[in-house]
Amino acid sequence: MNPLVNSLMVRAADAPAIKPAVELGTPLLLTIAAAGIALLLVLIIRFKIQAFVALLAVSILVAVAAQIPLKDIFTVVTNGVGSTMGKVALLIALGAILGRMIEVSGGVQSLATHFTEKLGAKRVAVALTAVGFLVAIPVFFEVGVIVLVPIVYAFAKIAKVHPVKFGLPMAGIMLSIHVAVPPHPGIVAGAGVFGADIGLITMISLIICVPLGFLSYWVASIMNRKDYELLPGVKAQVEEFGSDSLVRIGHDGPGARAIAPPRPGLIMFLIAAPIVQILLGTVGTLTIAKDNYWYGVASFIGNPFFALLVAVALSFFLLAVRRNWSLKETGEIFEGALPPIASILMVVAAGGVFGEVLRTSGIGAALSHTLDSLGLPVIVLGFIISLALRAAQGSATVAIVTTTGLLTSAVMEGGYTPAQIAVIVIAIGFGALGLSHVTDAGFWTVIRYYGLTVSDGLKTWTVLTTILGLAGFVLTYVAWILVGGLGH
């Protein structure tokens, strides 16, 4: 080995852990943390600074205020990016590609038509809620809402009702899955910060989201007993749709030239395949001894990276090759899935930096000791902090990564089991579900496409997401009891 390289490696290995130049007291550290979060919210809300830039700037300012040596600050920044992105970047990218393939192929419309035919025209809202549940697993929330809009408009015209009557319960369960079920970025980033098991999170959160789907339908049906004003622009769009749009792809590119959308069974298979693979691997690692050869096999097969890679490969052959898309067209679809997630990845990376600064500065440990003195369970604190941040600045991803960064020391030093850590992450995710209002881009997506006024959106969408978030936390707390969390 080159002597210079060898020397650098030895020096890196022997480098002392980065610590603040001056040990500050707990009250001052917590004041710095509170000021940092307040500044973060002001930058995002008042000055409309992009969340990535705001998080990165606040992280550096907090590091300086907490007396981390100036020469070490950007080492901490680099460590935060590397430790977070190494765990989540591939998951988010592969999940986006899979969702894009299903979206462009017309698979979403295929599912909607299938469930509507099976359940009947009188149960359209039930059908669309079921479709939303499945579509939301691989597809981002805003994308899912937009892709399903033609179906919602078509049914609204046929039934001569407001689009919100069909769209509200569907959007409610879609957002529930978006904040709590991998491979969505917020929950994956939170799992990465805590080192939580993605398979356990997927298993538990999906079970919780099933009753939330019924709750979303029931609460929305009560809200929809009232008539809401339909904005003129959306009213005109609804009038343009008819029943024939149920099978219309609605996209330019290869999907638009398809003779028919893929069969619903194929789409359900593509959605379920990575979930089943991850769950099988998780069950294997929980039941097989670690020194057994098959433990390694189960761990490899159930790795979320590998499961999503297999799903993307399956989508390539089952959607692209079998539908005669050219390699160029398919490559463009893959490529087109990545730019929309760039901002999300940067926010996740900056959230990792913030968490690393809090850990290195001692703020995380100070907060942990303070929370211990309050006597509140960490799962309750995670939910409350995440809910407050979500309401204040709007982004569920920012709320989750900021909350997990604040609670890292409390969780890492708490002696929690893998199942308990998974449940804590899910609780934080459901905290980021409630109080979706004017600070949230998803709020504007829902009211813009469903033709609601801001006032009606606050009365319906904000209330629905808050009810679902609280219900999700209650069910998560039941899971917390079942995994022995009350012992902490």
Side-chain angles (χ1 to χ4, degrees), residues 100 253-254 326-339:
R100 181 65 174 163
S326 71
L327 294 177
K328 179 183 178 182
E329 289 172 327
T330 306
E332 289 173 353
I333 294 172
F334 276 45
E335 188 75 24
L338 300 179

Side-chain angles (χ1 to χ4, degrees), residues 30 367-377 381:
L30 294 182
L367 179 63
S368 174
H369 297 319
T370 302
L371 296 180
D372 287 341
S373 67
L374 294 177
L376 287 176
L381 288 165

Side-chain angles (χ1 to χ4, degrees), residues 317-366:
F317 287 104
L318 297 177
L319 294 179
V321 174
R322 290 183 61 181
R323 299 169 71 80
N324 297 317
W325 295 355
S326 71
L327 294 177
K328 179 183 178 182
E329 289 172 327
T330 306
E332 289 173 353
I333 294 172
F334 276 45
E335 188 75 24
L338 300 179
I341 66 170
S343 177
I344 294 172
L345 288 173
M346 291 299 96
V347 170
V348 169
V353 172
F354 190 55
E356 185 70 13
V357 167
L358 294 175
R359 185 193 66 77
T360 303
S361 64
I363 291 174

Side-chain angles (χ1 to χ4, degrees), residues 122-140:
K122 294 183 179 180
R123 298 186 179 90
V124 169
V126 177
L128 289 180
T129 303
V131 171
F133 187 102
L134 292 174
V135 169
I137 296 173
V139 176
F140 287 173

